[in-house]
Amino acid sequence: MNPLPMILADLRGLRWNAVVVVVLVAVAVAVGIALGAQERAFRHASARAADDFPLLIGAAGSNTQLVLTSVYLRLEALPLMNGAALARLGTDERVAAVAPIAFGDVVAGHPVIGTTAAFAGRWGRLAPIEGRMFAAENEAVIGSDARLAIGDDLKPSHGHAGAVWPTDLGHVGTEEAAHVHAGAHYKVVGRLAPTGGPWDRAVIVPVETVWETHGLGNGHAPGIERIGPPFDAATVPDVPAIVVKPKSFAAAYQLRGEWRRGVTQALFPAEVLVELHVALGDVQQILLVASALDDGLVFLAVTALLVTVVGLRRRRYAVLRALGAPQSFVLATVWGAAAVLMVAGASLGLGLGWGAAIAVSQLIAGDTGLAVPVTIGAPEILWAGAVALAGSLFALIPAWVAGRGSVIDGLSS
Amino acid sequence: MPTSAAPAEPAAADGPRAAALRLDGVVVEHRRGREPPFRALDIESLEVPPGARVGFAGPSGAGKSTLLHVVAGLAVPSTGRVAWGDTRLDTLGEAAHGRWRRATIGFVFQDFHLVDELTVRDNVLMPARFGRIADRQALHARADALIARMGLDDPRRRAAKLSRGERQRVAVARALLLGPRLILADEPTASLDAEAGRAVAGLLVDAAREHGATLLVVAHDPALLERLDTVHRLAGGRLIAEERR
């Protein structure tokens, strides 16, 4: 038995109906694929961006905002904590390294972040791919995606007006132009390797430069012009966030316990991410259920369409049976054509879903600076396969309808 | 008294391969709601010898097509006996009837019933798709020979692009592909012009003779009927007259 020529003939005869079915199934599949792939990629990317922030300490307040601002540079005004903490942590024997993070300025759409050279280089993990690390006040290194060049002389403006789109980077907006810090400037001396996070868009300067730009001194004893730790407990300004690299897990938990009392909070960014992912996960579940319902509705619509087509082709299948075709031949013909459409739709949906996930990644990267590399993995392929399988099972309905009924009635229809 | 057709001329080299067809007391009734059953066919006795070429004529509703459907196993008689040689057709189940039909019958329809999206060759090969093909090359060669015999020059043409006469010739070739022992033709020339009708009638009768097959034809077309050995007249589902040529 070889129903393949009839399957191809049926598909050819469907013309635009076949295209409609494939597109409907493809869109239904693509929604599920895009949701799954995007969500997984976003979780990975957001977790990776937080890898360089073992322990964050800030003033008591929203832990989520502390992480969003420090790690993801979603810049909002954070409550400040006493800068003396920097000196205290710098001498704590459980701490391998400590760095302040200071925000508040913008250059050509790029956020300006003040910190130490050690943390800018992610404590030795990240080296400049061009030029060198800043070594003095008024020097800056730029992230890999910054639309600036080594040698640029930058004039910072007060504010958080970061660029929303990558294409806006490198342009000075109206708001930014109205709040330029008089007399302040940085010279770009290096470009850092990519981190895959929002810091790739930042202009990173010595924290002393940020403090001085805002008239807060340089955090060192009078007369000392160097940059970097140790900081002077008596003169160091209040800071919005401190990154701490503990020497051990035990030290990390001890420090977190000690600094999350009273006027300060200490947290592992992963904790906040887990909370966010749990919330995202709930939404994800709802979206996946909605997507599955969507698929079910599409299957019903496609099945109804195919049953109608089979009804219109009643005579064709009656002729086959009159010529001696067993019911199984007719069933295989109708099911085969429908299954081909379902599999084609699911395969196209896999590609479309991947494309959609990449497009959403571009939007997220444009909005957050977070590189979200989307990959199509086993879950997406399994999803597409499950949809194709379910669709093929639905396709048995028109096939069963086609194989039933009187041949004579079919011949005279 | 049984009505019988004259034996066919043994034109085939090895004589008729067909079996005798016999109908006894065959009644087909249709029921519509609460109305009394309508008797579409009432054949007291009909015997068709192997290799005979028999026509059935009569007004619409006389039961001609129903008779073909009973023989083909597409319609089940309410009572009676239908036999092809030693095989009781009226007692076969649907699947067995399908197998018998596939192995025995070539069917030519008035409206051709080709698959428009397929080529001439694929339409002719269609009955072979229903079962296992032993020698694919030989089958294709046979299909191409039949197509050429029918005067069709290009086996790769789509059926949708053929004229009505060409379509019916493809339908005849399809019916002959598996070397049927019984050819059933339901008004095979009714939708053709006179010239095309004569050509198709000639092909059908000649092919039946060459294959030693029994040919049962429902027709109004005198040009086709006059080429047959016997013509039965039907009215009200009954055989009312027999004309031997």
Side-chain angles (χ1 to χ4, degrees), chain A residues 1-2 5-6 9 12-13 315-316 319-327 329 407-408 411, chain B residues 69 74-75 94 98 101-102 107 109 111 113 115-118 126 129-132 158 174:
Chain A
M1 189 169 83
N2 176 18
M6 269 310 295
R12 215 175 281 135
R315 180 186 290 190
R316 166 181 287 201
V319 168
L320 292 179
R321 288 175 64 192
L323 291 175
Q327 281 189 336
F329 182 90
V407 176
I408 293 173
L411 288 174
Chain B
H69 291 156
L74 302 176
E94 188 174 338
R101 208 159 45 235
R102 194 155 61 246
F107 217 130
F109 303 95
D111 293 328
H113 293 317
V115 179
D116 281 348
E117 297 85 4
L118 292 180
M126 183 55 69
R129 312 283 190 201
F130 305 151
R132 203 163 60 84
R158 285 272 168 79
R174 180 179 64 187

mmCIF file of all heavy atoms in Angstrom, chain A residues 1-2 5-6 9 12-13 315-316 319-327 329 407-408 411, chain B residues 69 74-75 94 98 101-102 107 109 111 113 115-118 126 129-132 158 174:
data_model
loop_
_atom_site.group_PDB
_atom_site.id
_atom_site.type_symbol
_atom_site.label_atom_id
_atom_site.label_comp_id
_atom_site.label_asym_id
_atom_site.label_seq_id
_atom_site.Cartn_x
_atom_site.Cartn_y
_atom_site.Cartn_z
ATOM 1 N N MET A 1 0.850 -1.206 0.000
ATOM 2 C CA MET A 1 0.000 0.000 0.000
ATOM 3 C C MET A 1 0.876 1.243 0.000
ATOM 4 O O MET A 1 1.797 1.353 0.811
ATOM 5 C CB MET A 1 -0.875 -0.019 1.252
ATOM 6 C CG MET A 1 -1.935 1.051 1.257
ATOM 7 S SD MET A 1 -3.142 0.797 2.579
ATOM 8 C CE MET A 1 -2.337 1.506 3.962
ATOM 9 N N ASN A 2 0.618 2.127 -0.923
ATOM 10 C CA ASN A 2 1.424 3.346 -1.000
ATOM 11 C C ASN A 2 0.522 4.549 -1.220
ATOM 12 O O ASN A 2 0.211 4.921 -2.357
ATOM 13 C CB ASN A 2 2.447 3.236 -2.135
ATOM 14 C CG ASN A 2 3.228 4.519 -2.301
ATOM 15 O OD1 ASN A 2 3.262 5.353 -1.403
ATOM 16 N ND2 ASN A 2 3.849 4.689 -3.463
ATOM 17 N N PRO A 5 1.397 9.155 -3.214
ATOM 18 C CA PRO A 5 0.932 10.025 -4.311
ATOM 19 C C PRO A 5 -0.412 10.689 -4.001
ATOM 20 O O PRO A 5 -0.624 11.863 -4.343
ATOM 21 C CB PRO A 5 0.814 9.061 -5.495
ATOM 22 C CG PRO A 5 1.751 7.948 -5.178
ATOM 23 C CD PRO A 5 1.686 7.793 -3.686
ATOM 24 N N MET A 6 -1.313 9.949 -3.335
ATOM 25 C CA MET A 6 -2.611 10.549 -2.997
ATOM 26 C C MET A 6 -2.458 11.626 -1.928
ATOM 27 O O MET A 6 -3.161 12.643 -1.950
ATOM 28 C CB MET A 6 -3.581 9.469 -2.496
ATOM 29 C CG MET A 6 -4.432 8.825 -3.570
ATOM 30 S SD MET A 6 -5.289 9.987 -4.650
ATOM 31 C CE MET A 6 -6.394 10.770 -3.507
ATOM 32 N N ALA A 9 -1.229 14.567 -3.684
ATOM 33 C CA ALA A 9 -2.319 15.140 -4.487
ATOM 34 C C ALA A 9 -3.293 15.904 -3.601
ATOM 35 O O ALA A 9 -3.748 17.001 -3.953
ATOM 36 C CB ALA A 9 -3.047 14.022 -5.230
ATOM 37 N N ARG A 12 -1.719 19.131 -2.614
ATOM 38 C CA ARG A 12 -1.708 20.062 -3.735
ATOM 39 C C ARG A 12 -3.103 20.652 -3.933
ATOM 40 O O ARG A 12 -3.250 21.835 -4.223
ATOM 41 C CB ARG A 12 -1.257 19.328 -4.996
ATOM 42 C CG ARG A 12 -0.441 20.164 -5.942
ATOM 43 C CD ARG A 12 0.071 19.326 -7.103
ATOM 44 N NE ARG A 12 1.226 18.534 -6.753
ATOM 45 C CZ ARG A 12 1.381 17.250 -7.078
ATOM 46 N NH1 ARG A 12 0.435 16.609 -7.730
ATOM 47 N NH2 ARG A 12 2.468 16.605 -6.738
ATOM 48 N N GLY A 13 -4.100 19.805 -3.765
ATOM 49 C CA GLY A 13 -5.470 20.264 -3.963
ATOM 50 C C GLY A 13 -5.934 21.228 -2.880
ATOM 51 O O GLY A 13 -6.855 22.012 -3.089
ATOM 52 N N ARG A 315 -16.607 12.401 -2.590
ATOM 53 C CA ARG A 315 -16.679 11.607 -3.813
ATOM 54 C C ARG A 315 -15.312 11.013 -4.157
ATOM 55 O O ARG A 315 -15.220 9.858 -4.567
ATOM 56 C CB ARG A 315 -17.173 12.483 -4.968
ATOM 57 C CG ARG A 315 -17.272 11.716 -6.267
ATOM 58 C CD ARG A 315 -17.617 12.585 -7.423
ATOM 59 N NE ARG A 315 -18.983 13.066 -7.353
ATOM 60 C CZ ARG A 315 -19.595 13.691 -8.356
ATOM 61 N NH1 ARG A 315 -18.946 13.918 -9.468
ATOM 62 N NH2 ARG A 315 -20.829 14.110 -8.237
ATOM 63 N N ARG A 316 -14.263 11.811 -3.981
ATOM 64 C CA ARG A 316 -12.910 11.334 -4.304
ATOM 65 C C ARG A 316 -12.584 10.063 -3.506
ATOM 66 O O ARG A 316 -12.080 9.088 -4.052
ATOM 67 C CB ARG A 316 -11.898 12.432 -3.989
ATOM 68 C CG ARG A 316 -10.473 11.952 -3.972
ATOM 69 C CD ARG A 316 -9.489 13.052 -3.632
ATOM 70 N NE ARG A 316 -9.345 13.981 -4.735
ATOM 71 C CZ ARG A 316 -8.286 14.784 -4.897
ATOM 72 N NH1 ARG A 316 -7.308 14.772 -4.034
ATOM 73 N NH2 ARG A 316 -8.210 15.601 -5.916
ATOM 74 N N VAL A 319 -14.605 7.096 -4.644
ATOM 75 C CA VAL A 319 -14.064 6.516 -5.873
ATOM 76 C C VAL A 319 -12.910 5.583 -5.546
ATOM 77 O O VAL A 319 -12.807 4.472 -6.086
ATOM 78 C CB VAL A 319 -13.611 7.633 -6.839
ATOM 79 C CG1 VAL A 319 -12.778 7.053 -7.978
ATOM 80 C CG2 VAL A 319 -14.809 8.373 -7.388
ATOM 81 N N LEU A 320 -12.033 6.029 -4.644
ATOM 82 C CA LEU A 320 -10.906 5.172 -4.256
ATOM 83 C C LEU A 320 -11.417 3.838 -3.719
ATOM 84 O O LEU A 320 -10.904 2.775 -4.073
ATOM 85 C CB LEU A 320 -10.048 5.871 -3.194
ATOM 86 C CG LEU A 320 -9.266 7.106 -3.643
ATOM 87 C CD1 LEU A 320 -8.490 7.684 -2.461
ATOM 88 C CD2 LEU A 320 -8.305 6.759 -4.764
ATOM 89 N N ARG A 321 -12.434 3.912 -2.884
ATOM 90 C CA ARG A 321 -12.956 2.666 -2.299
ATOM 91 C C ARG A 321 -13.642 1.818 -3.373
ATOM 92 O O ARG A 321 -13.549 0.593 -3.372
ATOM 93 C CB ARG A 321 -13.901 2.982 -1.158
ATOM 94 C CG ARG A 321 -13.117 3.494 0.073
ATOM 95 C CD ARG A 321 -14.023 3.929 1.183
ATOM 96 N NE ARG A 321 -14.814 2.846 1.724
ATOM 97 C CZ ARG A 321 -15.845 3.031 2.548
ATOM 98 N NH1 ARG A 321 -16.181 4.255 2.919
ATOM 99 N NH2 ARG A 321 -16.518 1.999 2.998
ATOM 100 N N ALA A 322 -14.335 2.499 -4.325
ATOM 101 C CA ALA A 322 -14.974 1.744 -5.411
ATOM 102 C C ALA A 322 -13.927 1.061 -6.276
ATOM 103 O O ALA A 322 -14.169 -0.008 -6.836
ATOM 104 C CB ALA A 322 -15.833 2.676 -6.256
ATOM 105 N N LEU A 323 -12.757 1.673 -6.377
ATOM 106 C CA LEU A 323 -11.682 1.073 -7.179
ATOM 107 C C LEU A 323 -10.970 -0.040 -6.422
ATOM 108 O O LEU A 323 -10.092 -0.690 -6.976
ATOM 109 C CB LEU A 323 -10.662 2.145 -7.574
ATOM 110 C CG LEU A 323 -11.126 3.197 -8.587
ATOM 111 C CD1 LEU A 323 -10.058 4.262 -8.783
ATOM 112 C CD2 LEU A 323 -11.483 2.551 -9.921
ATOM 113 N N GLY A 324 -11.328 -0.217 -5.175
ATOM 114 C CA GLY A 324 -10.746 -1.328 -4.418
ATOM 115 C C GLY A 324 -9.868 -0.921 -3.263
ATOM 116 O O GLY A 324 -9.251 -1.772 -2.616
ATOM 117 N N ALA A 325 -9.777 0.394 -2.998
ATOM 118 C CA ALA A 325 -8.927 0.832 -1.889
ATOM 119 C C ALA A 325 -9.539 0.381 -0.564
ATOM 120 O O ALA A 325 -10.741 0.564 -0.346
ATOM 121 C CB ALA A 325 -8.799 2.351 -1.890
ATOM 122 N N PRO A 326 -8.728 -0.217 0.305
ATOM 123 C CA PRO A 326 -9.259 -0.541 1.638
ATOM 124 C C PRO A 326 -9.470 0.748 2.433
ATOM 125 O O PRO A 326 -8.892 1.798 2.104
ATOM 126 C CB PRO A 326 -8.157 -1.392 2.256
ATOM 127 C CG PRO A 326 -6.916 -1.061 1.502
ATOM 128 C CD PRO A 326 -7.330 -0.624 0.137
ATOM 129 N N GLN A 327 -10.295 0.652 3.462
ATOM 130 C CA GLN A 327 -10.530 1.844 4.298
ATOM 131 C C GLN A 327 -9.222 2.378 4.852
ATOM 132 O O GLN A 327 -9.050 3.586 5.013
ATOM 133 C CB GLN A 327 -11.477 1.492 5.434
ATOM 134 C CG GLN A 327 -12.930 1.445 4.999
ATOM 135 C CD GLN A 327 -13.874 1.304 6.186
ATOM 136 O OE1 GLN A 327 -13.486 0.826 7.236
ATOM 137 N NE2 GLN A 327 -15.104 1.712 5.999
ATOM 138 N N PHE A 329 -6.435 2.585 3.419
ATOM 139 C CA PHE A 329 -5.760 3.430 2.441
ATOM 140 C C PHE A 329 -6.324 4.848 2.506
ATOM 141 O O PHE A 329 -5.572 5.826 2.510
ATOM 142 C CB PHE A 329 -5.946 2.855 1.027
ATOM 143 C CG PHE A 329 -5.242 3.643 -0.047
ATOM 144 C CD1 PHE A 329 -3.934 3.337 -0.399
ATOM 145 C CD2 PHE A 329 -5.871 4.678 -0.700
ATOM 146 C CE1 PHE A 329 -3.275 4.065 -1.389
ATOM 147 C CE2 PHE A 329 -5.227 5.405 -1.689
ATOM 148 C CZ PHE A 329 -3.923 5.092 -2.031
ATOM 149 N N VAL A 407 -20.195 4.131 0.085
ATOM 150 C CA VAL A 407 -19.463 4.459 -1.142
ATOM 151 C C VAL A 407 -20.429 5.000 -2.195
ATOM 152 O O VAL A 407 -20.135 5.961 -2.904
ATOM 153 C CB VAL A 407 -18.732 3.202 -1.675
ATOM 154 C CG1 VAL A 407 -18.055 3.500 -2.997
ATOM 155 C CG2 VAL A 407 -17.711 2.725 -0.653
ATOM 156 N N ILE A 408 -21.597 4.383 -2.271
ATOM 157 C CA ILE A 408 -22.576 4.803 -3.291
ATOM 158 C C ILE A 408 -23.020 6.238 -3.034
ATOM 159 O O ILE A 408 -23.099 7.060 -3.948
ATOM 160 C CB ILE A 408 -23.784 3.841 -3.298
ATOM 161 C CG1 ILE A 408 -23.298 2.475 -3.784
ATOM 162 C CG2 ILE A 408 -24.887 4.359 -4.197
ATOM 163 C CD1 ILE A 408 -24.328 1.390 -3.676
ATOM 164 N N LEU A 411 -20.256 8.410 -4.148
ATOM 165 C CA LEU A 411 -20.139 8.515 -5.609
ATOM 166 C C LEU A 411 -21.175 9.459 -6.193
ATOM 167 O O LEU A 411 -20.927 10.130 -7.192
ATOM 168 C CB LEU A 411 -20.304 7.125 -6.250
ATOM 169 C CG LEU A 411 -19.148 6.141 -6.071
ATOM 170 C CD1 LEU A 411 -19.519 4.770 -6.626
ATOM 171 C CD2 LEU A 411 -17.893 6.651 -6.761
ATOM 172 N N HIS B 69 -23.596 -1.812 -9.040
ATOM 173 C CA HIS B 69 -23.143 -1.649 -7.656
ATOM 174 C C HIS B 69 -23.264 -2.955 -6.870
ATOM 175 O O HIS B 69 -22.417 -3.263 -6.029
ATOM 176 C CB HIS B 69 -23.949 -0.536 -6.962
ATOM 177 C CG HIS B 69 -23.651 0.814 -7.508
ATOM 178 N ND1 HIS B 69 -24.524 1.875 -7.426
ATOM 179 C CD2 HIS B 69 -22.560 1.297 -8.173
ATOM 180 C CE1 HIS B 69 -23.991 2.940 -8.008
ATOM 181 N NE2 HIS B 69 -22.796 2.605 -8.462
ATOM 182 N N LEU B 74 -20.728 -2.824 -3.860
ATOM 183 C CA LEU B 74 -20.925 -1.511 -3.243
ATOM 184 C C LEU B 74 -22.332 -1.397 -2.664
ATOM 185 O O LEU B 74 -22.572 -0.585 -1.772
ATOM 186 C CB LEU B 74 -20.685 -0.396 -4.278
ATOM 187 C CG LEU B 74 -19.291 -0.405 -4.927
ATOM 188 C CD1 LEU B 74 -19.198 0.669 -6.010
ATOM 189 C CD2 LEU B 74 -18.217 -0.196 -3.878
ATOM 190 N N ALA B 75 -23.261 -2.173 -3.214
ATOM 191 C CA ALA B 75 -24.628 -2.206 -2.671
ATOM 192 C C ALA B 75 -24.913 -3.643 -2.226
ATOM 193 O O ALA B 75 -24.525 -4.595 -2.902
ATOM 194 C CB ALA B 75 -25.628 -1.771 -3.733
ATOM 195 N N GLU B 94 -17.168 -6.347 4.160
ATOM 196 C CA GLU B 94 -16.723 -5.166 3.415
ATOM 197 C C GLU B 94 -15.255 -5.273 3.016
ATOM 198 O O GLU B 94 -14.882 -4.979 1.877
ATOM 199 C CB GLU B 94 -16.952 -3.908 4.251
ATOM 200 C CG GLU B 94 -16.691 -2.647 3.447
ATOM 201 C CD GLU B 94 -17.040 -1.395 4.216
ATOM 202 O OE1 GLU B 94 -17.837 -1.467 5.155
ATOM 203 O OE2 GLU B 94 -16.499 -0.339 3.855
ATOM 204 N N GLY B 98 -13.711 -5.603 -0.691
ATOM 205 C CA GLY B 98 -12.713 -4.662 -1.203
ATOM 206 C C GLY B 98 -11.561 -5.404 -1.861
ATOM 207 O O GLY B 98 -11.110 -5.031 -2.945
ATOM 208 N N ARG B 101 -12.748 -6.893 -5.086
ATOM 209 C CA ARG B 101 -12.899 -5.828 -6.078
ATOM 210 C C ARG B 101 -11.532 -5.451 -6.656
ATOM 211 O O ARG B 101 -11.356 -5.265 -7.855
ATOM 212 C CB ARG B 101 -13.538 -4.630 -5.380
ATOM 213 C CG ARG B 101 -14.332 -3.754 -6.288
ATOM 214 C CD ARG B 101 -15.357 -2.897 -5.580
ATOM 215 N NE ARG B 101 -14.911 -2.228 -4.392
ATOM 216 C CZ ARG B 101 -15.511 -2.339 -3.211
ATOM 217 N NH1 ARG B 101 -16.548 -3.128 -3.063
ATOM 218 N NH2 ARG B 101 -15.067 -1.674 -2.180
ATOM 219 N N ARG B 102 -10.569 -5.341 -5.729
ATOM 220 C CA ARG B 102 -9.224 -4.923 -6.131
ATOM 221 C C ARG B 102 -8.594 -5.969 -7.071
ATOM 222 O O ARG B 102 -7.928 -5.621 -8.030
ATOM 223 C CB ARG B 102 -8.375 -4.755 -4.864
ATOM 224 C CG ARG B 102 -7.101 -4.022 -5.062
ATOM 225 C CD ARG B 102 -6.628 -3.376 -3.763
ATOM 226 N NE ARG B 102 -6.359 -4.321 -2.695
ATOM 227 C CZ ARG B 102 -7.037 -4.412 -1.555
ATOM 228 N NH1 ARG B 102 -8.054 -3.605 -1.331
ATOM 229 N NH2 ARG B 102 -6.708 -5.281 -0.627
ATOM 230 N N PHE B 107 -13.123 -0.574 -12.893
ATOM 231 C CA PHE B 107 -14.348 0.231 -12.879
ATOM 232 C C PHE B 107 -14.136 1.500 -13.708
ATOM 233 O O PHE B 107 -13.164 2.220 -13.508
ATOM 234 C CB PHE B 107 -14.675 0.629 -11.426
ATOM 235 C CG PHE B 107 -16.143 0.637 -11.106
ATOM 236 C CD1 PHE B 107 -16.642 -0.021 -9.990
ATOM 237 C CD2 PHE B 107 -17.039 1.320 -11.915
ATOM 238 C CE1 PHE B 107 -17.990 -0.025 -9.672
ATOM 239 C CE2 PHE B 107 -18.394 1.324 -11.613
ATOM 240 C CZ PHE B 107 -18.872 0.654 -10.495
ATOM 241 N N PHE B 109 -16.098 4.990 -14.658
ATOM 242 C CA PHE B 109 -17.250 5.796 -14.253
ATOM 243 C C PHE B 109 -17.635 6.771 -15.357
ATOM 244 O O PHE B 109 -16.802 7.163 -16.182
ATOM 245 C CB PHE B 109 -16.915 6.611 -13.001
ATOM 246 C CG PHE B 109 -16.473 5.786 -11.836
ATOM 247 C CD1 PHE B 109 -15.126 5.570 -11.593
ATOM 248 C CD2 PHE B 109 -17.395 5.227 -10.977
ATOM 249 C CE1 PHE B 109 -14.704 4.815 -10.522
ATOM 250 C CE2 PHE B 109 -16.983 4.454 -9.901
ATOM 251 C CZ PHE B 109 -15.643 4.250 -9.672
ATOM 252 N N ASP B 111 -18.292 9.881 -14.940
ATOM 253 C CA ASP B 111 -17.592 11.168 -14.742
ATOM 254 C C ASP B 111 -16.090 10.968 -14.534
ATOM 255 O O ASP B 111 -15.440 11.807 -13.919
ATOM 256 C CB ASP B 111 -18.198 11.904 -13.546
ATOM 257 C CG ASP B 111 -19.626 12.332 -13.820
ATOM 258 O OD1 ASP B 111 -19.916 12.629 -14.997
ATOM 259 O OD2 ASP B 111 -20.443 12.354 -12.885
ATOM 260 N N HIS B 113 -13.797 10.424 -12.774
ATOM 261 C CA HIS B 113 -13.296 10.408 -11.400
ATOM 262 C C HIS B 113 -11.791 10.228 -11.340
ATOM 263 O O HIS B 113 -11.278 9.374 -10.620
ATOM 264 C CB HIS B 113 -13.985 9.320 -10.563
ATOM 265 C CG HIS B 113 -15.433 9.594 -10.326
ATOM 266 N ND1 HIS B 113 -15.904 10.842 -9.996
ATOM 267 C CD2 HIS B 113 -16.507 8.777 -10.364
ATOM 268 C CE1 HIS B 113 -17.215 10.779 -9.850
ATOM 269 N NE2 HIS B 113 -17.618 9.547 -10.079
ATOM 270 N N VAL B 115 -8.035 11.853 -10.385
ATOM 271 C CA VAL B 115 -7.510 12.786 -9.380
ATOM 272 C C VAL B 115 -6.782 13.890 -10.147
ATOM 273 O O VAL B 115 -5.723 13.651 -10.737
ATOM 274 C CB VAL B 115 -6.559 12.071 -8.401
ATOM 275 C CG1 VAL B 115 -6.015 13.061 -7.382
ATOM 276 C CG2 VAL B 115 -7.290 10.932 -7.710
ATOM 277 N N ASP B 116 -7.390 15.060 -10.176
ATOM 278 C CA ASP B 116 -6.884 16.139 -11.031
ATOM 279 C C ASP B 116 -5.429 16.519 -10.749
ATOM 280 O O ASP B 116 -4.710 16.951 -11.643
ATOM 281 C CB ASP B 116 -7.753 17.394 -10.853
ATOM 282 C CG ASP B 116 -9.042 17.278 -11.641
ATOM 283 O OD1 ASP B 116 -9.136 16.357 -12.479
ATOM 284 O OD2 ASP B 116 -9.945 18.103 -11.425
ATOM 285 N N GLU B 117 -5.037 16.390 -9.488
ATOM 286 C CA GLU B 117 -3.688 16.840 -9.119
ATOM 287 C C GLU B 117 -2.608 15.842 -9.524
ATOM 288 O O GLU B 117 -1.423 16.161 -9.429
ATOM 289 C CB GLU B 117 -3.600 17.069 -7.603
ATOM 290 C CG GLU B 117 -4.511 18.171 -7.075
ATOM 291 C CD GLU B 117 -5.912 17.666 -6.789
ATOM 292 O OE1 GLU B 117 -6.137 16.438 -6.929
ATOM 293 O OE2 GLU B 117 -6.784 18.484 -6.447
ATOM 294 N N LEU B 118 -3.029 14.659 -9.941
ATOM 295 C CA LEU B 118 -2.040 13.645 -10.323
ATOM 296 C C LEU B 118 -1.819 13.641 -11.833
ATOM 297 O O LEU B 118 -2.674 14.103 -12.595
ATOM 298 C CB LEU B 118 -2.508 12.253 -9.880
ATOM 299 C CG LEU B 118 -2.558 11.986 -8.371
ATOM 300 C CD1 LEU B 118 -3.050 10.566 -8.118
ATOM 301 C CD2 LEU B 118 -1.204 12.197 -7.740
ATOM 302 N N MET B 126 -3.081 4.198 -9.981
ATOM 303 C CA MET B 126 -3.761 4.296 -8.684
ATOM 304 C C MET B 126 -4.197 2.940 -8.101
ATOM 305 O O MET B 126 -3.927 2.653 -6.924
ATOM 306 C CB MET B 126 -4.955 5.246 -8.789
ATOM 307 C CG MET B 126 -5.696 5.491 -7.487
ATOM 308 S SD MET B 126 -4.598 6.066 -6.176
ATOM 309 C CE MET B 126 -4.183 7.681 -6.794
ATOM 310 N N ARG B 129 -1.703 1.120 -6.100
ATOM 311 C CA ARG B 129 -1.249 1.683 -4.822
ATOM 312 C C ARG B 129 -1.949 1.046 -3.633
ATOM 313 O O ARG B 129 -1.516 1.209 -2.506
ATOM 314 C CB ARG B 129 -1.521 3.196 -4.754
ATOM 315 C CG ARG B 129 -1.075 3.984 -5.968
ATOM 316 C CD ARG B 129 0.407 4.202 -5.960
ATOM 317 N NE ARG B 129 0.812 5.154 -6.978
ATOM 318 C CZ ARG B 129 2.039 5.244 -7.473
ATOM 319 N NH1 ARG B 129 2.978 4.426 -7.037
ATOM 320 N NH2 ARG B 129 2.332 6.130 -8.395
ATOM 321 N N PHE B 130 -3.060 0.401 -3.890
ATOM 322 C CA PHE B 130 -3.875 -0.094 -2.768
ATOM 323 C C PHE B 130 -3.278 -1.353 -2.137
ATOM 324 O O PHE B 130 -3.662 -1.719 -1.040
ATOM 325 C CB PHE B 130 -5.296 -0.415 -3.235
ATOM 326 C CG PHE B 130 -5.992 0.736 -3.908
ATOM 327 C CD1 PHE B 130 -6.953 0.529 -4.878
ATOM 328 C CD2 PHE B 130 -5.675 2.038 -3.560
ATOM 329 C CE1 PHE B 130 -7.589 1.599 -5.499
ATOM 330 C CE2 PHE B 130 -6.311 3.121 -4.180
ATOM 331 C CZ PHE B 130 -7.254 2.892 -5.151
ATOM 332 N N GLY B 131 -2.419 -2.016 -2.868
ATOM 333 C CA GLY B 131 -1.854 -3.260 -2.331
ATOM 334 C C GLY B 131 -0.349 -3.283 -2.514
ATOM 335 O O GLY B 131 0.272 -2.258 -2.784
ATOM 336 N N ARG B 132 0.212 -4.477 -2.382
ATOM 337 C CA ARG B 132 1.657 -4.625 -2.518
ATOM 338 C C ARG B 132 2.015 -4.766 -3.992
ATOM 339 O O ARG B 132 1.325 -5.448 -4.743
ATOM 340 C CB ARG B 132 2.126 -5.852 -1.734
ATOM 341 C CG ARG B 132 3.579 -5.823 -1.333
ATOM 342 C CD ARG B 132 3.820 -6.854 -0.234
ATOM 343 N NE ARG B 132 3.492 -8.202 -0.667
ATOM 344 C CZ ARG B 132 4.351 -8.984 -1.355
ATOM 345 N NH1 ARG B 132 5.548 -8.545 -1.664
ATOM 346 N NH2 ARG B 132 4.000 -10.202 -1.704
ATOM 347 N N ARG B 158 -0.772 16.568 -16.240
ATOM 348 C CA ARG B 158 -1.738 16.550 -15.134
ATOM 349 C C ARG B 158 -3.132 16.224 -15.672
ATOM 350 O O ARG B 158 -3.512 16.728 -16.738
ATOM 351 C CB ARG B 158 -1.805 17.939 -14.477
ATOM 352 C CG ARG B 158 -0.632 18.265 -13.603
ATOM 353 C CD ARG B 158 -0.901 17.757 -12.179
ATOM 354 N NE ARG B 158 0.325 17.799 -11.393
ATOM 355 C CZ ARG B 158 0.808 18.899 -10.849
ATOM 356 N NH1 ARG B 158 0.169 20.030 -10.965
ATOM 357 N NH2 ARG B 158 1.920 18.859 -10.150
ATOM 358 N N ARG B 174 -6.853 3.071 -16.457
ATOM 359 C CA ARG B 174 -6.800 2.770 -15.014
ATOM 360 C C ARG B 174 -7.562 1.481 -14.707
ATOM 361 O O ARG B 174 -7.100 0.637 -13.928
ATOM 362 C CB ARG B 174 -7.411 3.947 -14.231
ATOM 363 C CG ARG B 174 -7.424 3.751 -12.729
ATOM 364 C CD ARG B 174 -8.017 4.968 -12.023
ATOM 365 N NE ARG B 174 -9.426 5.159 -12.365
ATOM 366 C CZ ARG B 174 -10.138 6.222 -11.993
ATOM 367 N NH1 ARG B 174 -9.576 7.183 -11.285
ATOM 368 N NH2 ARG B 174 -11.402 6.332 -12.329
#
